[in-house]
Amino acid sequence: MIRLIYTIFILISILSCAPSLSPYTQRLHEKYEWKESDLKKVQFYLSHDIVLRRRSESGKAEIEGGEIKIIDGSKYEMIRFNAGTPGVLLFMPKENRMAISFENGGDDKFLMFGPNPNYNDRYVLLAADWKRNFGEVTYMGKKWETSASSAYAGLAINLKNIDHNSSQARVAKGRTVE
């Protein structure tokens, strides 16, 4: 019994240390009145998995990274972004659009996010075109397909960390009579 209580205590301690991520929304953006330069200092996280794929070339199967990626006889390139992956803002082409990069290696490695009024104004993955089963996005200057479930993949931030950082101020040391 003591071992069970000890295990529960350890689990609660670990979970309380984990960052509590909050969805990044248009409301937060307006509340904090962040500019692009401010947002470049914010650590963003991906809320859901995103898998990009694009047809590479037809023909014989090749082994890449230990896997053969053949779908309906065609070879596909695939890139996976797992939920929780950290990202940074590269630029904002307009007020409510954010180019977020989740990997190093070039300024063309970004996905676009913006507020979705049908999803509580959360900043979610934007596509040039969402069809019934997939969307088309641009990544590394190329067109990629992603499943329709990626439309719910959004940005999250550690609000506790943001509040702590934004509320720090200089502390007056006081002044005494000479």
Side-chain angles (χ1 to χ4, degrees):
M1 184 65 162
I2 294 175
R3 193 176 260 183
L4 176 64
I5 293 171
Y6 181 72
T7 304
I8 291 172
F9 175 75
I10 294 295
L11 285 173
I12 291 172
S13 297
I14 290 170
L15 292 175
S16 66
C17 294
S20 67
L21 299 179
S22 301
Y24 186 75
T25 63
Q26 186 65 30
R27 187 176 307 134
L28 277 177
H29 185 79
E30 292 167 0
K31 174 184 174 184
Y32 288 99
E33 299 178 351
W34 285 316
K35 296 176 177 65
E36 183 174 341
S37 58
D38 300 323
L39 291 169
K40 286 185 176 187
K41 299 173 189 170
V42 173
Q43 183 66 69
F44 292 94
Y45 299 90
L46 196 54
S47 68
H48 295 79
D49 293 349
I50 296 174
V51 177
L52 304 180
R53 73 176 193 173
R54 72 180 195 93
R55 187 181 314 261
S56 180
E57 59 187 49
S58 297
K60 64 181 183 176
E62 293 183 21
I63 298 175
E64 293 180 6
E67 295 181 36
I68 299 174
K69 297 176 182 166
I70 299 292
I71 301 171
D72 296 331
S74 298
K75 180 179 164 190
Y76 279 83
E77 289 181 68
M78 299 179 95
I79 302 173
R80 180 178 183 91
F81 301 88
N82 293 322
T85 301
V88 297
L89 174 70
L90 291 182
F91 64 92
M92 294 177 70
K94 52 179 160 172
E95 179 62 31
N96 61 353
R97 298 290 184 262
M98 298 171 65
I100 304 291
S101 178
F102 296 98
E103 60 181 335
N104 294 320
D107 288 345
D108 62 344
K109 292 184 175 182
F110 64 87
L111 295 169
M112 293 300 296
F113 292 83
N116 183 337
N118 297 325
Y119 199 44
N120 296 325
D121 277 334
R122 291 181 181 179
Y123 274 64
V124 295
L125 180 65
L126 299 176
D129 187 26
W130 285 109
K131 297 194 168 136
R132 185 178 186 119
N133 296 323
F134 68 92
E136 184 180 273
V137 299
T138 301
Y139 189 74
M140 297 186 330
K142 300 172 185 168
K143 300 290 183 192
W144 298 75
E145 288 182 359
T146 188
S147 72
S149 64
S150 294
Y152 298 103
L155 297 176
I157 58 174
N158 184 343
L159 252 186
K160 184 177 178 182
N161 197 19
I162 297 292
D163 284 337
H164 175 72
N165 288 338
S166 65
S167 65
Q168 289 184 355
R170 182 175 61 83
V171 177
K173 294 181 181 168
R175 185 172 177 179
T176 58
V177 176
E178 294 181 26

